[in-house]
């Protein structure tokens, strides 16, 4: 994991983005936000498990399907299967040590 702080590389509505092997963070003070960092580290693990490019393809497809389903971009984003895993486990700092391989697949349902 390599942290990069730059307000110019991240869309304004986001605090951080995981682009393997980097975590891009908008504001320097967010580097101390352990929940945010853990959320992005979960995404890095997901990306690694899917050999990076397939992660982005599945992420995009799931987002488009959720936009069609919910007719709301914010609700669609929150319900992307990869985001669901990250949001539900971001406060558990031990999650990545106990997380089963390909655990994101559990979120394909619902």
């Amino acid at each position: 994991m390599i942290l990069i702080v730059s307000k110019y590389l991240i869309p304004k509505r986001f605090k951080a983005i995981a682009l393997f092997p980097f975590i891009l963070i908008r504001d320097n003070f967010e580097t101390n936000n352990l929940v945010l960092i853990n959320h992005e580290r979960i995404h890095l693990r997901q990306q690694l498990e899917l050999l990076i490019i397939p992660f982005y393809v599945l992420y995009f497809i799931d987002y488009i399907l959720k936009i069609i389903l919910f007719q709301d971009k914010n609700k669609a984003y929150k319900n992307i299967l990869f985001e669901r895993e990250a949001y539900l486990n971001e406060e558990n700092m031990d999650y990545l040590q106990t997380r089963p391989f390909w655990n994101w697949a559990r979120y394909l349902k619902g």
Side-chain angles (χ1 to χ4, degrees):
M1 168 188 77
I2 302 166
L3 285 175
I4 297 174
V5 179
S6 174
K7 64 182 177 183
Y8 302 108
L9 296 175
I10 302 171
K12 289 186 181 188
R13 66 180 197 258
F14 295 107
K15 292 180 183 180
I17 296 176
L19 299 170
F20 191 85
F22 306 102
I23 295 177
L24 306 172
I25 298 179
R26 171 174 286 289
D27 297 306
N28 196 42
F29 70 89
E30 293 289 6
T31 60
N32 296 321
N33 184 338
L34 297 180
V35 172
L36 176 65
I37 300 296
N38 197 44
H39 178 102
E40 298 306 327
R41 288 181 66 225
I42 292 167
H43 286 318
L44 291 178
R45 180 72 57 87
Q46 295 165 338
Q47 292 168 19
L48 189 59
E49 288 174 348
L50 285 165
L51 305 176
I52 301 155
I53 300 299
F55 168 85
Y56 296 110
V57 172
L58 286 173
Y59 191 102
F60 178 73
I61 290 169
D62 196 35
Y63 181 56
I64 296 302
L65 292 173
K66 297 295 172 34
I67 287 174
I68 293 167
L69 178 66
F70 294 114
Q71 300 292 305
D72 179 299
K73 288 181 181 180
N74 290 325
K75 193 170 184 179
Y77 166 75
K78 289 280 190 169
N79 282 282
I80 295 169
L81 68 105
F82 300 111
E83 292 298 341
R84 289 179 53 227
E85 179 186 15
Y87 278 115
L88 289 171
N89 297 287
E90 67 187 7
E91 293 183 15
N92 179 355
M93 297 305 150
D94 296 322
Y95 180 67
L96 289 173
Q97 285 73 38
T98 59
R99 177 186 178 269
F101 187 73
W102 274 37
N103 198 53
W104 57 266
R106 288 183 45 216
Y107 299 88
L108 284 167
K109 296 179 182 176

